[in-house]
Amino acid sequence: MTAFLVRPPAVEPVSLAQAKAHLRLDHDAEDDLIAALIPAARGLVEHRTRRALIDQGWRIALDRWPRRTPVRLSPGPVTSLDAVTVFDGDGTPHVLAADETTVDLAGGRLLPGPTTRRPGRALNGVEIDFSCGYGETADAVPEPLRQAILLLVGHWFEVREAASLGVIASPVALGFEALVAPFRVVRL
């Protein structure tokens, strides 16, 4: 199974102005750096929680349907199933009708039906497109996750070597982990 982003978020959960206020900066000399740190911090929060913060579109490619188990749609929270495409042996795509699968948006799962078309292509025979995220605006993102982004931006701004290496120093890690822990998706 391969998952990849097909529609990135249109905005960030934290604006440049919010990040500068958090850093107590009133000049524009560091705007480019701060603007680069925000999506990096969002990416780490999304990675650690397995959640999309702002609405975005993802595609999962499967070689074949799993036997008797649902396909996990990740990252969450899943807001819609946009399309399920199955490719036959010569690569012709067939978009499935809504009644050919069962989707559990709350659980982020998709289950093919007993008569669902099987792929004929050996690799990436099934593509599942879905949308996920808390909403279209920053206000839709839970405040602790936005604070985790600000915490990282502040730390990486002050300790620039850590930002280039993607490192979280231990004092920051405690606060960061406490903020993201309640939102972390755990797979059983």
Side-chain angles (χ1 to χ4, degrees):
M1 178 171 81
T2 303
F4 50 95
L5 182 67
V6 293
R7 183 177 38 86
V11 298
E12 291 296 335
V14 171
S15 70
L16 177 62
Q18 290 168 323
K20 286 175 68 171
H22 176 75
L23 296 169
R24 297 183 181 140
L25 290 180
D26 58 3
H27 58 79
D28 299 336
E30 304 278 7
D31 283 5
D32 289 345
L33 172 63
I34 298 164
L37 293 175
I38 294 168
R42 174 189 43 85
L44 184 56
V45 169
E46 288 178 335
H47 176 74
R48 290 283 177 92
T49 62
R50 295 184 182 175
R51 293 178 183 267
L53 302 185
I54 298 289
D55 286 352
Q56 46 197 271
W58 282 77
R59 176 173 292 151
I60 292 177
L62 306 167
D63 295 338
R64 67 187 85 52
W65 291 111
R67 295 179 190 239
R68 295 185 215 84
T69 59
V71 176
R72 292 261 180 213
L73 305 178
S74 182
V78 177
T79 56
S80 69
L81 178 65
D82 301 329
V84 178
T85 307
V86 177
F87 295 88
D88 62 21
D90 66 1
T92 303
H94 300 276
V95 178
L96 300 184
D99 63 351
E100 294 183 74
T101 62
T102 302
V103 66
D104 170 17
L105 293 179
R109 302 178 302 166
L110 175 94
L111 187 64
T115 60
T116 300
R117 178 186 294 269
R118 301 294 177 221
R121 189 163 76 179
L123 298 174
N124 300 322
V126 178
E127 290 182 350
I128 303 166
D129 292 334
F130 64 98
S131 296
C132 55
Y134 286 104
E136 295 179 356
T137 66
D139 292 338
V141 178
E143 187 60 31
L145 297 177
R146 293 174 55 197
Q147 288 301 314
I149 291 170
L150 289 171
L151 188 67
L152 288 176
V153 167
H155 176 68
W156 289 342
F157 182 81
E158 292 299 322
V159 185
R160 297 188 185 196
E161 293 79 20
S164 66
L165 298 174
V167 174
I168 305 174
S170 59
V172 173
L174 294 174
F176 174 81
E177 294 300 331
L179 288 167
V180 300
F183 299 93
R184 191 170 280 136
V185 174
V186 178
R187 297 285 185 222
L188 301 175

